[in-house]
Amino acid sequence: MNPSNRPDSTFDVIIIGAGVTGLYQLYLARKAGLSVRVFDAAGGVGGTWYWNCYPGCCFDSESESYGYTWSKALLEEWDWTEHFSPQPETERYLNYVADRFDLRRDIQLNARVQAARFDTKTRRWSVQLTTGERASAQFLIAAVGVLSADYTPEFVGIKDFKGLSLHTGRWPRDGVDLRGKRVAVIGTGPTGVQLITKIARDVAHLTVFQRTPNYCAPLRNRPVTPAEQQHFKATYAEIHQQLRETPAGFLYHFDTRSAFEFSAEERLAYYEKLWALPGFAKWLSGFPEVMTNRAINEEFAGFLRNKIRARINDPVLAEKLVPKNHPFGSKRIPLESGYFEVYNRDNVSLVELLETPIQRMTASGIETSERAYAFDVIIYATGFDAVTGPLTRMNIEGVNGQTLGEKWADGVRTYLGLLTAGFPNLFIATNSAFCNYPVCAEMVVEWIAGAIAHVRANNLASIEATPEAEAAWVEHSAELASHSFLSDANSWFMGSNIPGKKRALLLYSNSAPAYRAKCEEVAAHGYQGFTLQ
Ligand code: NA7
C-alpha cells in the first residue's frame, strides 16, 4: 500500500528524515520486527545529499570512509568512482541502499513534520504533517541531520530582488542554468568555496561577497583506479577499524611526535609534505600542537597564508583572501580544487563585507555601503542553523507542553546528545560528537536501536534522560569546550552564525572513541542517567 494513503496510522517507531542516519535506523527498526514509518520533507531519499545538489558539491571525507559499514554485501557491490565522491554519486549510493534493502515501502516522501506532541497518558508521540495527516508511535526518532535547516540572513529588502534567489541547501532539483548570467554568491564557507570554483567559468560575471576568508586547502581529488577499488574492498575491515579508533572518525590521526622535536626548518618541510596530501590530512594528521599550542598553530597558519598568496596574481587581492582573524582549525577547513585561481579570472570580483557591508537588497541586486551591484541571480551560501535548528523549527512538545525550542532557548541541553529531559522516547539521532558522519551516525543509530529493544524487552513504556544526568553532561561538555580552539571563531560549531542564538559549542568535543565508550558504558549499566518507566 502506498504509505501516503494511510493518513491515520499507528506505529512502534516514527523516524523523521530519510538521510544517512534515517535509512539505517529504518533498516534496524524493521530488522527488530517493529512497525515503522519514515517521514521526509524531500521528494527523494538522501537527506543532505538530496538537498545540497548545488554545482561542485562533493565529499571532503574519503569515499571509502563514508559508506555504511554494516553490510558486507553492500561494501562488495558498491564502487566509488572518485576518492572524494561528488554529490550526485553519493545521492545515487543512498538511493541504491534504499532499493537494495527494500526500504522505500516504509518511507513517506514530501511529508514535512510540522509538530509532534508527547501524550503523557499513553506515553506515545503523535505527529502532524504540514498536509494535516497524523500518525502516532511509541518512539520518535529525529534523524534530521545537523546541517539541514538552511539559513538565509534577513537582509533588508530581501524580497524586493526581482531576479532569482537561491540557497545552496535548497538547490533546485532540475538545476539552474547560470551561463551568461551576472551572479552574486554570498558566503565563502565550505559550500561557497565549492560552488564558486565550479561556476566561475560559466557565468558572465561572478561577484563573491566575503565576510571571513578561510584557510582553504587543496582537496586533491582524483578517480579511483580499479586496483584501488579492489584494495578498498579487500581492506574494509581494517579501514573501518581505523575509523572507529581515530579521534574524529576519519582516516587520520595526529602525529605521535611533538612539533617541538623538530627545528623550525624541519617543521616547514613537514608542513610542505602535509600540504601535498589529499583531504583533511592538513587538519587532522599534523602535529598535535597545531590544535593545542597557539605558537605552533600560528606557524602553520602562516604557512597556509603564504600558500594562498602564491596562488593569486594580484597581491592586494591576495591579502583580502588570506585569513587573519581566527586560528587555523577553529572553523571548518574548506577543501577546494582551484578556488583561489578563480580570483585570477577577469569575470570574478570580490567584495569584502567587513569593509563595505551589505545595506540592503534591491529589485536589481545588492547595495553595499560603497555602491550598488546588479545581478540576475543571488546565491546564498550562508550555511545552516546547525544541530538545533532542524529540531527547534519543528514544534516538538514534550511533557508539560514545553517545546524543544523553549527548553533550548538558553542553549542546547541533552544527555549524551541522544535524549533530553522532559521529552521521553524522543531520540535525537544526529552525530553529536565531532566525527566523520556515517561512522558515528551508525553508532548513534545502533545505540538507539539497543535502547528501544531494552525498553520493549522489559515491557516498559518509556525512556527519558534525568535532569541530573543532563545537567552533568551539559557541564562536562562545556568544560571540554572551554579548552577548544573552536570558541575562538564565529562558526556554526558555536551557533554564532545565527543572530540571537546562544554562543556555545554545539558538538561534544571529546574524541569519538571516548564518546562511543561513554554511550556503551551507560547502556551496559542499564541506561544509567535515564528514567525507565
Ligand atoms: P558555513 O560554513 O556556515 O559558511 C557560511 C558562509 O556564509 C560563511 O562564509 C559566512 O561568513 C557567510 N555568512 C553567513 N551569514 C552571513 C551574513 N549575514 N552576511 C554575509 N555572510 C554571511 O556554511 P557552509 O554551507 O559553507 O558549510 C556548512 C557545512 O556544510 C560545512 O561545515 C561542511 O560540514 C558542510 P562568516 O564566516 O560567518 O563570516
Side-chain angles (χ1 to χ4, degrees):
M1 180 192 255
N2 180 343
S4 57
N5 294 336
R6 296 172 49 179
D8 292 296
S9 307
T10 55
F11 302 98
D12 296 320
V13 177
I14 288 176
I15 298 167
I16 309 173
V20 172
T21 314
L23 291 178
Y24 183 37
Q25 197 80 64
L26 165 59
Y27 173 81
L28 286 190
R30 207 193 260 170
K31 201 168 159 201
L34 302 171
S35 63
V36 53
R37 167 64 40 85
V38 178
F39 293 120
D40 196 302
V45 303
T48 200
W49 300 108
Y50 174 89
W51 291 110
N52 286 273
C53 55
Y54 61 83
C57 181
C58 171
F59 275 171
D60 37 28
S61 307
E62 279 74 2
S63 302
E64 74 275 21
S65 79
Y66 200 92
Y68 289 119
T69 70
W70 44 268
S71 164
K72 281 211 168 84
L74 179 61
L75 288 163
E76 195 50 48
E77 288 160 21
W78 186 261
D79 290 342
W80 296 104
T81 63
E82 296 184 36
H83 281 271
F84 298 89
S85 173
Q87 174 273 336
E89 179 163 320
T90 310
E91 191 185 344
R92 260 199 312 280
Y93 170 73
L94 292 167
N95 274 277
Y96 179 79
V97 171
D99 291 328
R100 170 75 173 73
F101 298 97
D102 186 24
L103 300 178
R104 290 188 201 273
R105 65 189 153 89
D106 290 320
I107 301 174
Q108 186 170 335
L109 298 170
N110 302 304
R112 179 177 291 280
V113 174
Q114 181 177 47
R117 202 167 150 269
F118 184 71
D119 184 326
T120 39
K121 285 203 193 80
T122 60
R123 304 203 74 71
R124 292 174 62 84
W125 283 93
S126 59
V127 165
Q128 188 179 335
L129 307 184
T130 48
T131 55
E133 292 173 52
R134 290 173 187 280
S136 79
Q138 183 179 7
F139 302 100
L140 178 62
I141 305 179
V144 291
V146 289
L147 294 161
S148 58
D150 54 298
Y151 165 66
T152 303
E154 290 177 7
F155 291 115
V156 175
I158 195 160
K159 293 210 172 98
D160 297 345
F161 180 57
K162 296 272 187 291
L164 184 61
S165 296
L166 300 166
H167 189 286
T168 48
R170 288 287 178 275
W171 198 259
R173 294 290 300 168
D174 296 334
V176 185
D177 188 359
L178 296 172
R179 283 173 302 178
K181 302 267 173 26
R182 297 162 303 166
V183 176
V185 174
I186 304 174
T188 53
T191 299
V193 164
Q194 290 183 338
L195 174 87
I196 289 162
T197 310
K198 186 73 180 176
I199 66 174
R201 77 178 78 89
D202 295 332
V203 302
H205 193 90
L206 175 63
T207 309
V208 177
F209 290 82
Q210 170 187 270
R211 192 164 65 180
T212 309
N214 277 307
Y215 294 95
C216 309
L219 175 65
R220 305 199 192 284
N221 197 9
R222 60 184 177 81
V224 174
T225 66
E228 286 168 334
Q229 196 79 249
Q230 276 319 106
H231 184 68
F232 293 159
K233 291 184 180 180
T235 58
Y236 267 131
E238 288 93 319
I239 291 170
H240 296 157
Q241 184 64 22
Q242 197 180 347
L243 294 174
R244 278 188 283 271
E245 287 172 358
T246 54
F250 284 94
L251 295 169
Y252 305 110
H253 46 76
F254 288 107
D255 202 316
T256 49
R257 296 164 302 174
S258 163
F260 296 110
E261 292 173 33
F262 297 81
S263 68
E265 211 170 56
E266 287 167 338
R267 287 201 295 272
L268 191 62
Y270 180 101
Y271 298 150
E272 285 289 355
K273 280 196 189 139
L274 213 51
W275 170 255
L277 295 175
F280 279 139
K282 277 84 80 180
W283 191 13
L284 302 173
S285 73
F287 294 128
E289 288 87 356
V290 168
M291 295 306 291
T292 56
N293 177 288
R294 292 204 179 261
I296 296 294
N297 181 284
E298 178 52 27
E299 180 180 81
F300 188 55
F303 168 83
L304 293 175
R305 289 184 198 118
N306 286 337
K307 286 291 182 198
I308 295 171
R309 289 181 181 114
R311 293 168 65 184
I312 300 158
N313 299 341
D314 173 353
V316 177
L317 179 62
E319 278 322 297
K320 296 180 180 178
L321 288 157
V322 166
K324 291 169 191 143
N325 73 349
H326 60 283
F328 168 79
S330 59
K331 285 165 87 89
R332 172 81 139 57
I333 310 304
L335 294 175
E336 46 82 28
S337 306
Y339 174 64
F340 292 109
E341 287 73 11
V342 157
Y343 294 93
N344 294 331
R345 300 179 61 90
D346 291 337
N347 70 331
V348 176
S349 45
L350 181 77
V351 177
E352 267 194 293
L353 292 178
L354 291 184
E355 273 180 17
T356 57
I358 293 174
Q359 308 263 291
R360 58 173 294 119
M361 302 302 181
T362 64
S364 57
I366 298 177
E367 209 173 280
T368 67
S369 58
E370 186 189 42
R371 54 164 281 201
Y373 297 83
F375 297 112
D376 303 305
V377 184
I378 298 177
I379 302 174
Y380 294 91
T382 42
F384 301 89
D385 183 355
V387 185
T388 54
L391 294 157
T392 54
R393 283 186 189 185
M394 281 183 282
N395 192 18
I396 300 181
E397 203 178 297
V399 294
N400 307 323
Q402 189 187 35
T403 65
L404 260 190
E406 286 162 354
K407 175 167 177 179
W408 291 351
D410 198 29
V412 59
R413 298 182 69 79
T414 68
Y415 182 38
L416 304 176
L418 292 165
L419 288 105
T420 182
F423 295 79
N425 289 355
L426 169 68
F427 291 98
I428 303 164
T430 55
N431 201 2
S432 54
F434 275 97
C435 188
N436 190 13
Y437 207 86
V439 63
C440 289
E442 283 186 10
M443 173 260 145
V444 165
V445 166
E446 286 162 11
W447 191 95
I448 292 170
I452 291 176
H454 181 83
V455 170
R456 290 177 65 89
N458 291 285
N459 264 328
L460 299 162
S462 61
I463 177 169
E464 179 183 355
T466 66
E468 296 76 26
E470 182 174 291
W473 183 255
V474 170
E475 195 181 319
H476 160 68
S477 303
E479 155 63 16
L480 285 175
S482 69
H483 303 296
S484 168
F485 269 17
L486 298 172
S487 54
D488 284 19
N490 285 323
S491 70
W492 67 262
F493 293 146
M494 298 299 300
S496 49
N497 60 327
I498 304 297
K501 189 164 174 173
K502 160 111 174 170
R503 193 174 194 283
L505 192 55
L506 290 166
L507 297 174
Y508 180 59
S509 57
N510 213 341
S511 73
Y515 174 65
R516 187 178 309 116
K518 174 68 183 170
C519 293
E520 283 169 1
E521 180 198 312
V522 165
H525 288 89
Y527 295 90
Q528 257 171 358
F530 293 99
T531 304
L532 295 153
Q533 196 169 319

